[in-house]
Amino acid sequence: LRAYSNRLTELPEEIGELSSLLYLSLSSNKLTHLPKSFDQLSNLEELEIDLNPWKVFPIVLRELPRLSTLSIYNLPELAKEIADFPFKDIAALRSLKGWNVDMDRIPPSLFECSLESLILKGTQASNLPQQIPQWSEMTSLALEGAGLKSFPDFVLEASGLTWLNLSDNSMAGIPDEIGNLTAIKTLYLGGNPIKKLPETIGNLKELEYLDLSNTELEELPKELAHLPKLRRICIYRTADGEKMLADLRKIAPVAKF
């Protein structure tokens, strides 16, 4: 059910009668709370509550046994409540999308969730553990603008990752172990003061898109030429644009930039 951008100020109690509902988008309305009957949506799997003036973060989400995908974009006024929310109580949660929530830390309860996808922008990762066993099956991860000073150790253990965005952080280097992420297809490293890529990036045989924009790279490793599926490389605003273009011409003809 798509009910986004309808200027809704409240939902009727009768919504609880939609017990077979699987998907519900409430984005971009004027909702401040959810009705008591919301916990009757026992089959709801995907919920979008972005861009609403919620008075409090809806605690009723804990009562939805099949909720696996939750979208909470652009709710900075609830940053503290969301950071403290017990996401682990949403038993089926596998995917959380939270750009521009601007939390001062990742909600600790998320480390206890078996997440497959986590999309965060503007949330500080100051409390990020070195290892997160529950995230070992993760396939999509964004920690954009998270204040990261080094490449997260736990990411190097998530060998099933296919999409990774670590843009706009403060990482000066990329570890050799990035070569272990052999399933990766899309990799965003732009906006970091990276000066060199390790040769092991040549192990990423599934890589299709590589973003290196706004970095301090002065050259590209020749190993990129051995990536058979690489089709796009972004080098916008790198330290030595002419040298990078020359390197790309050696790597091309298949890659676009």
Side-chain angles (χ1 to χ4, degrees):
L1 174 61
R2 298 180 183 274
Y4 57 82
S5 299
N6 278 312
R7 298 184 179 179
L8 298 174
T9 57
E10 62 179 3
L11 296 178
E13 287 290 341
E14 288 79 6
I15 195 170
E17 299 175 10
L18 302 177
S19 58
S20 297
L21 193 64
L22 299 178
Y23 166 78
L24 177 59
S25 176
L26 299 173
S27 301
S28 301
N29 283 294
K30 298 181 181 299
L31 298 169
T32 59
H33 65 281
L34 293 175
K36 294 180 180 179
S37 63
F38 205 81
D39 62 0
Q40 297 174 29
L41 301 180
S42 57
N43 286 297
L44 189 63
E45 296 178 355
E46 185 171 354
L47 176 63
E48 299 170 358
I49 60 172
D50 322 292
L51 288 165
N52 280 282
W54 304 105
K55 289 183 178 179
V56 295
F57 193 68
I59 196 70
V60 70
L61 302 183
R62 302 166 61 181
E63 309 301 324
L64 302 176
R66 299 189 63 181
L67 183 62
S68 61
T69 300
L70 177 61
S71 179
I72 55 172
Y73 290 156
N74 294 297
L75 298 177
E77 67 280 358
L78 294 180
K80 186 179 187 307
E81 285 189 45
I82 295 173
D84 292 334
F85 188 81
F87 287 98
K88 64 179 181 179
D89 291 346
I90 307 178
L93 188 64
R94 296 294 178 270
S95 175
L96 180 67
K97 306 171 185 178
W99 283 30
N100 299 327
V101 180
D102 298 338
M103 293 176 283
D104 63 0
R105 66 191 187 284
I106 295 174
S109 62
L110 283 179
F111 302 139
E112 301 179 53
C113 298
S114 298
L115 294 181
E116 296 173 2
S117 177
L118 177 62
I119 310 299
L120 295 177
K121 178 180 180 180
T123 289
Q124 297 303 296
S126 56
N127 62 330
L128 198 63
Q130 288 190 334
Q131 294 184 326
I132 310 175
Q134 289 83 354
W135 292 6
S136 61
E137 302 300 318
M138 189 170 281
T139 59
S140 300
L141 174 65
L143 294 175
E144 186 176 349
L148 295 172
K149 296 182 179 180
S150 60
F151 201 95
D153 290 337
F154 82 90
V155 173
L156 302 172
E157 303 296 326
S159 59
L161 274 173
T162 61
W163 189 91
L164 177 61
N165 185 347
L166 297 177
S167 301
D168 298 328
N169 283 291
S170 301
M171 301 185 301
I174 304 298
D176 291 340
E177 290 81 2
I178 195 173
N180 297 335
L181 303 180
T182 54
I184 203 93
K185 294 182 179 181
T186 302
L187 180 58
Y188 292 87
L189 297 174
N192 284 284
I194 300 168
K195 297 183 178 180
K196 184 178 180 181
L197 291 177
E199 296 178 358
T200 53
I201 201 165
N203 296 342
L204 309 184
K205 303 300 183 183
E206 299 296 318
L207 190 63
E208 299 173 0
Y209 177 83
L210 177 60
D211 176 25
L212 300 171
S213 59
N214 291 290
T215 61
E216 297 180 12
L217 284 170
E218 297 181 352
E219 62 179 4
L220 294 173
K222 61 182 183 301
E223 286 76 16
L224 289 177
H226 304 308
L227 301 181
K229 298 184 179 181
L230 185 60
R231 290 294 179 270
R232 297 189 68 86
I233 304 175
C234 182
I235 57 168
Y236 179 67
R237 288 186 176 177
T238 48
D240 190 339
E242 291 187 6
K243 176 65 167 60
M244 297 281 277
L245 282 173
D247 289 344
L248 280 172
R249 291 189 180 97
K250 296 177 183 177
I251 294 169
V254 294
K256 297 180 179 180
F257 44 91

